[in-house]
Amino acid sequence: ALCAVLMLLLLAACSGENAGSEGATGEQSGTLNAKIGVVSYLTGAGAAYGEAITQGLKLAQSEINEQGEVNIELVIEDSAGEAEQALSASQKLMSDDNILAIIGPTLSTEFFAVAPEADLNGITIMGTSTTAEGIPEIGDYVFRNAIPEALAIPTAMEKAVERTGAKKVAMIYGNDDVLTQSGFETMKKTAEDMGLEILTIETFQKGQSDYNAQLTKIKNTNPDLILASALYNEGAVIMDQARKMGIEVPFVGGNGFNSPQVIEIAGDAANGLIVATPWFGESEETKVVDFNKKYEAEYGELPDQFAAQAYDALYIYADALKRAGEADRELFHEALAATEDFEGLLGNFSFDEIGDVVMDVKVVEIKDGKFVEFE
Ligand code: 1QQ
């Protein structure tokens, strides 16, 4: 009899608890809960990258959770654009057994510090903006949905040369950052493959504010085109100072230039920038128009490439989670690796066998202070 009473009490307690938690969170029964760690560049000179990324993630999160099948909690840590801070932030996330997987960090420089450890721990990690050579090769648990420079830069350079008939190029790149170095290597190789004459190669460091020496050399060589591998701050200042010195030729930039911050900082001097991207904000496709509308209503500004890529990334994670059937690190990893023909904001998306991106890239240019399709 005592047993029966205890059983009844237990049953009552359990059903009471269930009703309570459903009521409190509004979750449907059968919802898959998952905690995703995010490492993002949120303070410092390049914080607009991380801000766009986290805004894109949060918008996707609220839509996904509203749909009810999965419920994602984001745990967001700031990396400040520094490899060491990114590493300690990710270690904090990885020490939480309830973290299913990680998104970020923002810069390739940071990602190379973090991803090997995530891989070792069997924690899936995906870069949404990391475009340097060698990212998915870090390990089995390492993915990205950002278009690698190795694919984007040659596309932009071919189009630029086709239209301008350029034969001689000058190059400038940041030699203290993994992405700007990697982008430079790709530019140099592409220039050589295309038979372009490289007149000069100039370098700079993060945070530099005066490019007079480099730009004077570039101007004196009289190039048809300038190939620049830089993050937005340095890239925008370089363009501004170049135009002030009377350098009018177009720039072909790497992924760092895919931020509206370039226009914000350089103003009219940004006109004539050519860059490849999977994102075109002026597209009339319904899902892009809807996304723009929702994003602007939420944040008071239009989304950029980085916001769009992050938004797609969380949907790709949610899709994998649904296929995994439970918030288990191994099952999630397997499901994510099998992602194929995912239809996102940026079009059709699959991972190749090493976890790199298979998708299309477009070429855009800045004209009259706006990114427009490069004709
Ligand atoms: C990288 C990049 C940057 C421009 C991301 C913001 O592409 O570091 O790989």
Side-chain angles (χ1 to χ4, degrees):
L2 187 65
C3 263
V5 169
L6 277 175
M7 286 256 284
L8 278 174
L9 276 173
L10 219 92
L11 273 171
C14 284
S15 60
E17 201 176 74
N18 271 342
S21 73
E22 266 176 43
T25 62
E27 284 165 22
Q28 312 276 313
S29 60
T31 298
L32 265 171
N33 293 299
K35 216 165 147 182
I36 305 289
V38 177
V39 184
S40 198
Y41 187 171
L42 291 170
T43 53
Y49 290 132
E51 191 178 304
I53 288 168
T54 47
Q55 288 179 173
L57 290 174
K58 284 180 186 166
L59 186 58
Q61 178 197 23
S62 70
E63 290 175 12
I64 290 165
N65 289 355
E66 206 168 292
Q67 288 158 16
E69 208 177 325
V70 296
N71 192 79
I72 293 174
E73 181 190 337
L74 296 175
V75 185
I76 300 173
E77 298 287 340
D78 178 21
S79 66
E82 304 284 345
E84 270 170 43
Q85 189 168 326
L87 182 59
S88 56
S90 74
Q91 283 165 338
K92 192 171 144 196
L93 293 170
M94 287 188 279
S95 68
D96 178 350
D97 287 340
N98 292 318
I99 293 282
L100 178 65
I102 291 174
I103 286 181
T106 305
L107 302 178
S108 291
T109 289
E110 303 171 309
F111 200 90
F112 274 101
V114 169
E117 196 160 319
D119 187 58
L120 230 104
N121 288 326
I123 301 176
T124 298
I125 182 164
M126 179 156 95
T128 71
S129 55
T130 40
T131 59
E133 183 92 46
I135 295 267
E137 288 86 347
I138 294 170
D140 205 30
Y141 289 82
V142 184
F143 300 80
R144 70 169 149 202
N145 78 325
I147 302 262
E149 293 286 40
L151 210 130
I153 285 174
T155 311
M157 281 177 64
E158 271 154 34
K159 284 238 179 180
V161 168
E162 205 179 284
R163 188 169 83 184
T164 61
K167 292 190 169 57
K168 302 167 295 158
V169 297
M171 306 187 70
I172 183 163
Y173 76 102
N175 62 3
D176 58 349
D177 176 87
V178 169
L179 177 265
T180 56
Q181 279 171 301
S182 171
F184 160 72
E185 297 297 341
T186 301
M187 286 172 173
K188 185 162 176 281
K189 185 178 179 303
T190 309
E192 286 162 1
D193 290 350
M194 291 175 76
L196 299 168
E197 183 187 349
I198 300 172
L199 301 167
T200 182
I201 298 173
E202 301 299 321
T203 59
F204 64 87
Q205 283 82 44
K206 263 182 202 172
Q208 190 167 323
S209 54
D210 179 4
Y211 300 90
N212 189 57
Q214 290 90 337
L215 291 170
T216 302
K217 278 201 199 156
I218 288 177
K219 191 177 180 196
N220 289 340
T221 63
N222 197 24
D224 302 323
L225 208 60
I226 297 170
L227 310 177
S229 187
L231 298 178
Y232 70 70
N233 253 294
E234 293 80 11
V237 175
I238 288 169
M239 287 196 78
D240 185 43
Q241 293 183 7
R243 300 307 187 218
K244 283 184 177 134
M245 286 174 63
I247 300 172
E248 299 295 345
V249 294
F251 276 69
V252 176
N255 192 47
F257 283 91
N258 269 321
S259 168
Q261 284 299 310
V262 173
I263 301 168
E264 188 80 24
I265 297 166
D268 285 345
N271 290 334
L273 171 76
I274 301 161
V275 64
T277 172
W279 166 248
F280 183 54
E282 305 283 307
S283 159
E284 277 159 18
E285 263 183 75
T286 318
K287 56 186 171 190
V288 173
V289 173
D290 285 352
F291 172 67
N292 284 341
K293 234 185 263 170
K294 276 193 196 166
Y295 190 98
E296 195 174 17
E298 189 70 29
Y299 305 112
E301 61 187 10
L302 284 166
D304 63 14
Q305 171 206 272
F306 297 98
Q309 275 173 329
Y311 176 91
D312 270 2
L314 199 68
Y315 268 99
I316 291 167
Y317 263 23
D319 175 65
L321 178 58
K322 287 176 201 170
R323 283 182 287 108
E326 58 178 291
D328 169 84
R329 285 178 177 174
E330 278 310 311
L331 293 175
F332 177 76
H333 170 249
E334 264 171 56
L336 185 74
T339 300
E340 212 183 326
D341 289 329
F342 173 86
E343 289 298 335
L345 264 183
L346 302 174
N348 186 279
F349 176 89
S350 301
F351 285 122
D352 67 9
E353 58 291 346
I354 62 161
D356 212 346
V357 182
V358 183
M359 74 187 301
D360 288 335
V361 67
K362 304 169 185 58
V363 178
V364 297
E365 66 180 317
I366 299 178
K367 216 171 161 176
D368 302 325
K370 258 174 97 172
F371 281 102
V372 297
E373 233 165 328
F374 186 88
E375 306 286 353

